[in-house]
Amino acid sequence: MIMKNELLPQLRQTLQENIDLKTLESSSKFFKEGERAQVYGVKTGIVNKIGKEFYEQVKSFSKSEIFEIAEELLRSNYMEEAFIAFILSEALEKQYEPSDFKIFEYWVNTYINNWATCDTLCNHTIGNFIMMFPEYIHELKKWARSENRWVKRASAVTLIIPARKGLFLKDVLEIADILLEDKDDMVQKGYGWMLKAASEAYQQEIYEYVLSQRSVMPRTSLRYAIEKMPKELKTEAMRKV
């Protein structure tokens, strides 16, 4: 049996053994100025496999111990380690309780510095939490008013999967209203994606929202929002007002 203090060194050794030079070279193209991420250069599918195997090694630990391991992974600022941290946090879904929100909020504020880690944490771990404890949606609306671009993006992308399921339409539109004229393209794409997800369940409502706001909505957000709509609706939505 592997000792607890050997777990992370062994995990990092496994990641190093799976470095793919093409993946390492191409990863730099995915991030723009202001997005910081160190990478080993391991293919996403391999990272997921390693992460699931790692969870099997730690799943007998307490939730707090697993959260501590996840945070230690996040501190490294390696993207692959962050992905594995989020595999651990998502695997604990059945054990979530309201007090966990503060942990997730701390992670967003402290460790998220690029779109890939933002979306992975928020789509799954935090999105699942919000579906379990919807009273915390009001906290997302506070995030939407943050000065931090990643916290603002997080407020929207957390609702991607719930919105796709037809949940929280009113809150989706309220968050879109808050972020509507944001100048940051990462925020624009984030809330546009949220609206697109909501359109899968509420096409007419999202279409009407886009029409009502298209004079001020950034074109980036608008294009994302209408992506799943029929051609004739897209054409009308994109028409200059």
Side-chain angles (χ1 to χ4, degrees):
M1 175 185 275
I2 188 166
M3 299 298 290
K4 190 174 177 181
N5 62 355
E6 297 172 353
L7 283 168
L8 290 184
Q10 185 181 83
L11 174 66
R12 287 165 175 152
Q13 179 64 35
T14 302
L15 288 168
Q16 289 169 351
E17 290 169 358
N18 283 275
I19 290 171
D20 176 78
L21 293 181
K22 286 185 179 178
T23 302
L24 179 61
E25 184 180 342
S26 65
S27 64
S28 62
K29 301 174 185 175
F30 289 100
F31 302 103
K32 298 178 182 178
E33 185 178 349
E35 299 174 35
R36 306 182 306 280
Q38 291 179 274
V39 294
Y40 287 95
V42 181
K43 292 179 179 178
T44 302
I46 300 296
V47 175
N48 289 338
K49 181 174 180 289
I50 292 169
K52 288 172 183 175
E53 290 171 351
F54 184 68
Y55 177 68
E56 290 299 313
Q57 293 183 292
V58 303
K59 67 180 182 181
S60 62
F61 295 179
S62 69
K63 183 176 75 171
S64 62
E65 287 176 314
I66 295 174
F67 277 164
E68 285 172 10
I69 291 169
E71 185 152 352
E72 191 163 343
L73 289 167
L74 289 170
R75 284 193 203 104
S76 75
N77 198 36
Y78 273 92
M79 194 165 64
E80 293 92 342
E81 292 193 32
F83 289 163
I84 292 171
F86 304 149
I87 287 171
L88 299 184
S89 61
E90 184 184 6
L92 296 173
E93 177 185 359
K94 291 180 180 177
Q95 299 181 49
Y96 290 169
E97 53 194 324
S99 59
D100 295 331
F101 184 81
K102 286 297 180 187
I103 295 171
F104 302 148
E105 183 173 53
Y106 180 76
W107 290 357
V108 170
N109 278 284
T110 308
Y111 302 115
I112 298 304
N113 53 34
N114 62 75
W115 62 263
T117 53
C118 180
D119 297 357
T120 304
L121 172 61
C122 294
N123 284 178
H124 302 289
T125 294
I126 306 180
N128 291 345
F129 175 91
I130 290 294
M131 286 189 283
M132 292 174 71
F133 303 105
E135 62 270 25
Y136 279 83
I137 286 183
H138 75 277
E139 297 293 337
L140 299 185
K141 293 167 190 173
K142 294 179 186 175
W143 290 8
R145 300 183 187 281
S146 171
E147 294 297 313
N148 182 316
R149 70 191 305 202
W150 303 116
V151 178
K152 286 189 285 188
R153 182 179 172 97
S155 72
V157 300
T158 291
L159 293 182
I160 298 294
I161 292 175
R164 202 172 281 152
K165 294 175 183 285
L167 301 173
F168 312 135
L169 176 64
K170 175 177 175 288
D171 303 291
V172 163
L173 297 180
E174 286 184 20
I175 288 173
D177 279 342
I178 296 169
L179 300 175
L180 188 63
E181 297 184 66
D182 199 279
K183 305 302 183 191
D184 191 312
D185 70 324
M186 286 289 103
V187 178
Q188 293 172 6
K189 290 174 182 177
Y191 89 76
W193 184 19
M194 174 185 67
L195 291 172
K196 175 174 67 175
S199 78
E200 294 183 41
Y202 293 102
Q203 180 179 279
Q204 187 61 31
E205 288 85 348
I206 298 303
Y207 177 65
E208 290 173 2
Y209 178 80
V210 169
L211 287 189
S212 72
Q213 302 290 0
R214 65 180 172 178
S215 64
V216 294
M217 182 182 287
R219 300 303 268 185
T220 297
S221 303
L222 193 153
R223 289 191 186 97
Y224 268 74
I226 64 175
E227 190 176 323
K228 296 275 189 180
M229 294 184 186
K231 184 178 179 181
E232 62 273 17
L233 297 187
K234 289 183 182 179
T235 300
E236 176 59 25
M238 293 295 292
R239 188 171 57 83
K240 295 287 187 182
V241 291

